[in-house]
């Protein structure tokens, strides 16, 4: 069984953005529409917003967009569309398919995410021959890509497909700008390199599709997900949104609320099944450890049933779904969940993992 060496200090940057969770805590979003319907909705909104040429183009190439997006996205429904105005179509004429596909990215990128991307960051596109690069600086509220500015807020956003207006067509075969030409670089600061997209992206999409929107949002906001070459081993016990929504707006409890559902090692379902009943693990909350117990073929963590084992897994992160929150030691059992069945079995404590 793999053990992680991540320390509590590694997760302190996790909580710099928790205010964003208020939106996700107050409403359960419905599942996303299938990609064809999502594109139909986007095309209709484009037309109603005055982007008629791009609306008609989207209707014509929808099948191609869906096919190519499915090859580059976990669900096939994640998509960002950058729409030039009708005047650009009139001036430019009919662009090639490759050029049009440059305006489609197989990831869903919010405006705040675009604003936070470092200068010269590469954004994936559906074009087979050209790329997109951020040409604005993160301190600027305006965003430009390939030296073309984005116009205002998204025209359409259903959480999976986002549409932005842009001032003109993106330039094909655009050369990635050199970082040292960034006008904000007055000296040579000591900076670390951040990936433009978090390593939690895939697991976040899967959690959203299964109804774990709040835990998904929590993972998306973690700074450590954007760091390169960072050793990370993690097991997440994810409660359903209904169990967490009661804490909407209670920001002081967010840290311990989420940290108590993490274990700094990879515990697959097969590992949990093979453990001695009562095996205990240290986690990130002082005074709390997570104990795995089993009754017949059902496994519990601190008395909470694991209802969706191996919801997502790879070689460094595993997610198991729960119906309710893992309670703190001083919480009344009746307020958080039904009293767990406690089998009379010998308890074996795992080796000390205080380094976690």
């Amino acid at each position: 069984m793999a053990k992680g060496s991540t320390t509590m200090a590694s997760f302190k940057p996790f909580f710099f953005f928790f205010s964003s969770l208020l939106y996700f805590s107050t409403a359960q979003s419905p599942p996303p529409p299938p990609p064809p319907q999502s594109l139909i909705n986007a095309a209709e909104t484009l037309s109603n917003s005055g982007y008629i040429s791009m609306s008609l183009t989207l209707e014509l190439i929808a099948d191609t967009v869906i096919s190519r997006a499915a090859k580059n996205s976990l669900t096939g429904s994640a998509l960002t569309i950058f729409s030039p105005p009708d005047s650009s179509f009139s001036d430019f004429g009919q662009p090639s398919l490759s050029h049009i596909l440059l305006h489609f990215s197989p990831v869903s990128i919010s405006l705040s995410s675009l604003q936070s991307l470092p200068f010269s960051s590469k954004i994936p596109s559906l074009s087979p021959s050209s790329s997109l690069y951020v040409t604005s600086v993160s301190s600027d509220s305006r965003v430009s890509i390939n030296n073309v500015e984005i116009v205002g807020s998204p025209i359409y956003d259903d959480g999976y497909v986002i549409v932005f207006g842009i001032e003109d067509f993106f330039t094909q075969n655009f050369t990635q700008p050199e970082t040292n030409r960034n006008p904000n670089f007055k000296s040579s600061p000591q900076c670390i390199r951040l990936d433009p997209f978090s390593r939690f992206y895939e697991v976040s999409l899967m959690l959203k599709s299964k109804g774990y929107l709040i835990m998904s949002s929590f993972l998306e906001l973690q700074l450590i997900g954007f760091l390169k070459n960072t050793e990370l081993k993690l097991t997440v016990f994810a409660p359903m949104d209904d169990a967490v929504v009661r804490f909407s707006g209670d920001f002081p409890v967010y840290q311990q609320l989420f940290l108590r559902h993490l274990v700094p090692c990879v515990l697959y379902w097969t590992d949990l099944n093979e453990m001695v009943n009562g095996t205990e693990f240290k986690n990130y909350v002082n005074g709390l450890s997570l104990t795995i117990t089993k009754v017949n073929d059902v496994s519990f963590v601190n008395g909470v049933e694991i209802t969706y084992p191996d919801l997502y897994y790879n070689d460094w992160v595993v997610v198991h779904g729960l119906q309710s929150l893992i309670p703190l030691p001083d919480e009344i059992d009746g307020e958080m969940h039904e009293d767990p069945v406690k089998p009379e079995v010998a308890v074996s404590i795992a080796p000390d993992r205080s380094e976690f």
Side-chain angles (χ1 to χ4, degrees):
M1 184 187 312
K3 292 199 307 179
S5 60
T6 310
T7 64
M8 175 65 182
S10 301
F11 284 88
K12 287 185 177 179
F14 271 33
F15 304 96
F16 68 100
F17 238 178
F18 272 118
S19 59
S20 299
L21 287 176
L22 179 58
Y23 169 79
F24 297 109
S25 301
T26 54
Q28 173 69 46
S29 297
Q37 185 59 48
S38 209
L39 291 183
I40 291 172
N41 295 342
E44 181 178 350
T45 303
L46 277 167
S47 180
N48 293 337
S49 302
Y51 293 84
I52 298 173
S53 297
M54 192 61 168
S55 173
L56 295 174
T57 301
L58 180 56
E59 291 177 359
L60 289 173
I61 66 170
D63 290 343
T64 300
V65 169
I66 292 170
S67 174
R68 297 205 179 196
K71 295 178 181 178
N72 294 278
S73 170
L74 181 67
T75 65
S77 60
L79 197 67
T80 300
I81 304 172
F82 301 97
S83 174
D86 285 358
S87 58
S88 293
F89 280 87
S90 299
D91 296 339
F92 189 87
Q94 181 59 46
S96 66
L97 177 60
S98 177
H99 193 182
I100 282 292
L101 290 176
L102 181 62
H103 298 76
F104 294 79
S105 176
V107 289
S108 184
I109 317 172
S110 67
L111 180 59
S112 59
S113 295
L114 286 171
Q115 290 171 335
S116 66
L117 289 178
F119 178 80
S120 193
S121 294
K122 183 177 180 179
I123 298 175
S125 81
L126 297 185
S127 173
S129 58
S130 299
S131 299
L132 299 175
Y133 298 98
V134 175
T135 49
S136 54
V137 293
S138 57
S139 60
D140 194 341
S141 59
R142 297 176 299 175
V143 177
S144 70
I145 299 171
N146 288 21
N147 287 332
V148 177
E149 283 197 11
I150 290 178
V151 181
S153 300
I155 299 169
Y156 174 83
D157 182 357
D158 65 4
Y160 291 84
V161 176
I162 301 180
V163 182
F164 292 98
I166 56 177
E167 292 186 339
D168 204 347
F169 282 106
F170 291 137
T171 303
Q172 289 184 288
N173 303 315
F174 187 84
T175 302
Q176 183 174 15
E178 296 180 10
T179 303
N180 59 12
R181 292 184 182 178
N182 183 340
N184 273 14
F185 285 176
K186 305 297 184 181
S187 59
S188 299
Q190 297 298 313
C191 299
I192 61 174
R193 180 173 177 80
L194 298 180
D195 283 339
F197 300 99
S198 172
R199 72 174 81 180
F200 290 111
Y201 176 70
E202 289 190 358
V203 61
S204 174
L205 283 182
M206 179 61 73
L207 284 169
K208 285 179 180 178
S209 70
K210 299 296 184 181
Y212 297 84
L213 186 62
I214 297 177
M215 185 61 77
S216 165
S217 303
F218 156 68
L219 290 175
E220 284 181 332
L221 296 172
Q222 308 319 315
L223 178 61
I224 197 171
F226 296 91
L227 299 178
K228 284 182 171 291
N229 303 320
T230 301
E231 182 180 357
L232 182 62
K233 301 291 184 182
L234 194 64
T235 296
V236 181
F237 293 99
M240 293 289 292
D241 287 356
D242 289 345
V244 189
V245 71
R246 73 184 71 174
F247 296 97
S248 171
D250 194 1
F251 302 112
V253 307
Y254 282 170
Q255 183 176 26
Q256 58 84 9
L257 177 66
F258 289 105
L259 282 182
R260 74 195 199 219
H261 293 85
L262 307 179
V263 177
C265 50
V266 173
L267 301 174
Y268 300 106
W269 181 239
T270 53
D271 298 325
L272 296 177
N273 279 333
E274 293 173 359
M275 288 178 185
V276 175
N277 205 343
T279 299
E280 183 178 294
F281 293 90
K282 298 286 186 180
N283 78 340
Y284 295 101
V285 177
N286 290 334
L288 177 69
S289 58
L290 299 185
T291 303
I292 307 299
T293 55
K294 291 175 282 187
V295 178
N296 299 323
D297 294 329
V298 180
S299 292
F300 299 82
V301 53
N302 285 26
V304 179
E305 182 180 350
I306 301 172
T307 54
Y308 204 145
D310 283 353
L311 178 65
Y312 178 91
Y313 60 89
N314 57 28
D315 59 349
W316 60 270
V317 62
V318 183
V319 181
H320 303 297
L322 308 178
Q323 284 289 343
S324 59
L325 293 170
I326 295 174
L328 290 172
D330 58 350
E331 290 177 332
I332 300 174
D333 287 345
E335 291 182 357
M336 303 300 295
H337 60 86
E338 296 181 357
D339 291 336
V341 178
K342 297 181 180 179
E344 297 181 359
V345 294
V347 175
S348 174
I349 303 301
D352 182 24
R353 291 177 169 82
S354 59
E355 68 269 20
F356 298 144

